[in-house]
């Protein structure tokens, strides 16, 4: 079955993991290419201003394909160098594609997000969860480690101590705990999740597209640069934003006390 279902409307693209019968596992041949193609297309389309990532059925994603692990097939089969390359050329391709999205990404976590599925959600800029969602990084219970860079991802979201607790115990936490720990920003009833996600996405999509992409870029770069460098990047980027028509539209709308209409000009 095709991994991704893709729908775009009103400047928002929704990516749905579409293997509901098996809880949307990842790692099949071509998964990395599917994500890379989808994210490349989004980055190239200035009409897209926000992305929602969710799962079909009762799960967000149960993570790596356990059946393939048991049978040692596909990404999880072969010699050690072959398995290593399988991660690099397939699973890591999924993660790099999402991390490289230039527009804001919302994870609408509709159900269990386990292992790779949890780390996938953590690559989003914003996460909202159904009350049916659960989160866990249960790699050690399978005798493996987070092969998706999860030890880099999760501590940046919830801090070293709580990330360590989840990694070293394999515990799975519910949506309320995830909100308390800062893993998600809000929890809603399952039936309202996508409406909530679309409402948030519509607010994001109302922003000027060039400034939106640059703001995400500055936030991302700010993780690894000094404050002086961040100020220099801000000054140079801001100069470009001041010369856009969207800047004049925003100023005019504020003075005239009306809603702005940003066009990407």
């Amino acid at each position: 079955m095709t991994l991704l279902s893709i729908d775009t409307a009103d400047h928002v693209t929704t990516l749905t993991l579409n293997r509901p019968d098996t809880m949307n596992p990842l790692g099949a041949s071509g998964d990395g290419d599917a994500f890379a193609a989808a994210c490349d297309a989004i980055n190239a389309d200035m009409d897209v201003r926000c992305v929602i990532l969710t799962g079909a059925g009762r799960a967000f994603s149960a993570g790596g394909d356990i059946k393939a692990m048991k049978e040692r097939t596909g990404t999880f089969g072969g010699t050690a160098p072959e398995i290593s390359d399988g991660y690099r050329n397939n699973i890591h391709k999924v993660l790099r594609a999402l991390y490289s999205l230039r527009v804001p990404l919302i994870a609408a976590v509709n159900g269990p997000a386990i292992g790779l599925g949890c780390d996938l959600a953590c690559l989003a800029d914003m996460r909202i969860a159904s009350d049916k969602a659960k989160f866990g990084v249960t790699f050690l219970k399978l005798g493996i480690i987070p092969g998706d860079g999860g030890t880099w991802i999760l501590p940046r979201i919830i801090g070293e101590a709580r990330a360590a607790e989840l990694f070293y115990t394999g515990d799975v936490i519910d949506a309320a705990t995830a909100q308390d720990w800062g893993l998600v920003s809000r929890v809603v009833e399952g039936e309202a999740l996508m409406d909530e996600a679309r409402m948030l996405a519509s607010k994001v999509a109302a922003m000027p597209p060039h400034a939106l992409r640059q703001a995400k870029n500055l936030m991302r770069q700010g993780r690894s640069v000094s404050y002086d460098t961040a100020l220099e990047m801000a000054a140079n980027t801001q100069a470009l934003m001041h010369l856009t028509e969207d800047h004049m539209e925003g100023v005019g709308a504020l003075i005239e006390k009306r809603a702005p209409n940003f066009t990407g000009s």
Side-chain angles (χ1 to χ4, degrees), residues 68-211:
M69 291 183 194
K70 178 177 175 58
E71 296 173 351
R72 296 185 182 275
T73 58
T75 298
F76 310 115
T79 64
E82 288 170 337
I83 294 172
S84 182
D85 281 344
Y87 274 85
R88 290 190 186 97
N89 299 328
N90 193 19
I91 289 176
H92 291 182
K93 212 169 187 179
V94 172
L95 296 152
R96 288 181 188 277
L98 283 180
Y99 187 74
S100 297
L101 273 175
R102 296 182 61 200
V103 298
L105 173 63
I106 300 167
V109 185
N110 53 301
I114 306 298
L116 174 56
C118 181
D119 291 330
L120 211 65
C122 286
L123 287 176
D125 302 286
M126 297 159 278
R127 285 165 298 281
I128 60 177
S130 157
D131 54 5
K132 300 179 180 65
K134 296 181 184 298
F135 300 84
V137 281
T138 55
F139 300 94
L140 269 65
K141 283 188 172 181
L142 300 177
I144 56 178
I145 53 90
D148 57 2
T151 52
W152 184 91
I153 300 167
L154 190 60
R156 283 168 164 75
I157 306 299
I158 61 173
E160 293 276 351
R162 281 173 168 161
E165 182 176 338
L166 291 185
F167 283 129
Y168 301 156
T169 66
D171 284 350
V172 174
I173 59 174
D174 61 17
T177 303
Q179 184 177 24
D180 182 56
W181 286 15
L183 184 54
V184 301
S185 59
R186 67 188 79 173
V187 177
V188 300
E189 292 184 4
E191 296 76 14
L193 177 66
M194 288 310 295
D195 286 340
E196 189 79 7
R198 292 187 189 101
M199 187 180 305
L200 178 58
S202 69
K203 290 181 179 180
V204 174
M207 295 295 107
H210 291 296

Side-chain angles (χ1 to χ4, degrees), residues 243-264:
L243 299 178
T244 63
E245 292 182 18
D246 276 344
H247 170 53
M248 289 293 94
E249 169 64 12
V251 170
L254 182 62
I255 292 171
E256 297 163 19
K257 298 182 180 179
R258 60 173 174 81
N261 179 29
F262 296 119
T263 62

